[in-house]
């Protein structure tokens, strides 16, 4: 069985692609690291569903969502349930 010979052009293209991907990855990491804020958008039907699921009036759910936004969200950013 003959030994497999690498095509130099193919290896060059792969290395260039890898370097480009690394450069883009580092740039994205810098942007994502600087931007840690998340906004929440919910339609009215989603608000109604959330209010019904939590057993609260829609007005209360909306007020609590506005308050959470004003305060910057839950402490430590950990929230696996509605944050109220």
């Amino acid at each position: 069985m003959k030994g497999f010979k690498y095509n130099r052009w193919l290896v060059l293209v792969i290395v260039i692609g890898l370097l480009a991907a690394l450069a883009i990855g580092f740039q994205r990491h810098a942007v994502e690291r600087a931007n840690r804020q998340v906004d929440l958008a919910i339609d009215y039907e989603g608000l109604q569903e959330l209010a019904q699921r939590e057993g609260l009036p829609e007005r209360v759910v909306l007020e609590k969502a506005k308050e959470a936004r004003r305060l910057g969200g839950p402490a430590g950013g950990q929230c696996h349930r509605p944050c109220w």
Side-chain angles (χ1 to χ4, degrees), residues 4-82:
F4 182 75
K5 227 179 183 185
Y6 293 106
N7 184 341
R8 291 178 195 216
W9 288 107
L10 179 60
V11 172
L12 180 65
V13 168
I14 291 172
V15 169
I16 290 172
L18 177 63
L19 293 175
L22 286 172
I24 292 169
F26 282 119
Q27 289 174 352
R28 180 173 178 172
H29 175 70
V31 169
E32 295 284 344
R33 191 168 192 218
N35 187 9
R36 311 260 320 154
Q37 183 176 349
V38 176
D39 285 331
L40 173 67
I42 188 169
D43 61 354
Y44 189 70
E45 290 176 5
L47 176 74
Q48 289 176 323
E49 182 181 324
L50 180 61
Q52 184 179 21
R53 188 172 48 222
E54 293 297 314
L56 297 170
E58 295 168 12
R59 184 175 182 184
V60 172
V61 171
L62 186 59
E63 288 171 1
K64 289 184 179 276
K66 287 180 182 179
E67 180 70 13
R69 177 180 161 87
R70 188 179 68 77
L71 296 176
Q78 299 296 320
C79 188
H80 301 288
R81 295 193 39 175

